[in-house]
Amino acid sequence: DEVDVTDLEIFRKEQGKAFAPQGAKLTLTAFILKATAGALREFPKFNASYDEHAAEIVFKDYVNIGVAVDSPRGLMVPVIRDVDRKGLVTISKELREIADRAREFKLDVAEMRGGTFTITNVGALGGLFATPMINWPEVAILGLGRLAEKPVVRNGQVVIRKMLPLFISFDHRVIDGADGARFINRIAVFLENPLNLLLVS
């Protein structure tokens, strides 16, 4: 799907000035982490793992989101823990710190374990869409494409808006296509109404 993040980008840049004195760089990824955490709470099947031996779905009562980072030594996925319980300032700080350490190859192994869901951003490398591989033992992964200005129709008029592609891969033993669409749509609602993100807990 494609999400209209025009208002979010305006909000992000305005609020970024207030966040700067706290040592936090307010990025689009921080908002996506918060939106995803909210959606994971509403759709717990996406925040689960599948026990093949017992043929059971294992639901997690915590939201730990891995963020794929392109490092000189290959892809690394550090985990930000309890994202649903943290505010945007804390998420922004942790995201920046953990991504920097990943690129410098200074992560502890424990910081890459315990994830319940993963986000990968091919847009940062210029990609539009991809089919991301699920980070086992998780059951789903969200991908972000390249943010771009596009002509779209709003109220019968063609206007230029900032559109963000979202795509998802999931384990069909746990999740079906309808749930996948609902999950993406919920993230889109959060991102298109940025003030709602402040209420996510």
Side-chain angles (χ1 to χ4, degrees):
D1 207 342
E2 284 189 302
V3 181
D4 186 343
V5 294
T6 308
D7 294 338
L8 174 58
E9 280 293 274
I10 293 171
F11 179 79
R12 181 181 70 83
K13 290 176 181 177
E14 289 175 347
Q15 297 302 312
K17 298 173 184 176
F19 278 57
Q22 301 177 63
K25 183 179 180 182
L26 196 56
T27 64
L28 180 59
T29 304
F31 281 96
I32 292 167
L33 277 160
K34 192 65 177 174
T36 301
L40 288 170
R41 278 302 186 193
E42 293 184 34
F43 297 88
K45 281 186 179 180
F46 290 80
N47 196 56
S49 61
Y50 183 70
D51 185 334
E52 294 185 1
H53 296 292
E56 293 178 347
I57 301 171
V58 180
F59 294 94
K60 309 299 172 67
D61 60 0
Y62 48 89
V63 177
N64 296 344
I65 301 179
V67 180
V69 177
D70 182 33
S71 80
R73 299 191 185 184
L75 188 69
M76 305 185 76
V77 187
V79 175
I80 298 179
R81 302 178 191 284
D82 300 314
V83 179
D84 58 322
R85 300 178 185 178
K86 294 174 178 174
L88 284 167
V89 171
T90 302
I91 293 170
S92 297
K93 285 181 178 179
E94 290 188 16
L95 177 62
R96 185 173 185 176
E97 290 170 1
I98 208 164
D100 286 345
R101 289 208 311 280
R103 294 187 187 98
E104 296 167 3
F105 207 66
K106 293 181 179 178
L107 286 176
D108 187 280
V109 174
E111 293 179 290
M112 294 185 285
R113 292 179 177 166
T116 60
F117 189 87
T118 296
I119 294 175
T120 184
N121 184 0
V122 301
L125 303 173
L128 187 59
F129 287 100
T131 305
M133 296 296 292
I134 300 167
N135 191 13
W136 185 88
E138 299 164 18
V139 295
I141 181 171
L142 177 70
L144 316 176
R146 182 178 67 250
L147 178 65
E149 291 187 336
K150 290 187 174 183
V152 297
V153 177
R154 293 287 183 269
N155 300 318
Q157 300 293 318
V158 177
V159 294
I160 302 299
R161 305 289 288 181
K162 292 184 177 180
M163 306 299 292
L164 177 70
L166 298 180
F167 38 91
I168 189 166
S169 297
F170 48 85
D171 188 335
H172 269 285
R173 295 174 299 179
V174 179
I175 300 161
D176 62 27
D179 286 333
R182 293 185 188 104
F183 182 75
I184 285 280
N185 287 339
R186 190 59 181 142
I187 292 174
V189 168
F190 280 129
L191 295 178
E192 290 177 352
N193 301 274
L195 288 177
N196 289 345
L197 287 174
L198 303 178
L199 304 177
V200 175
S201 61

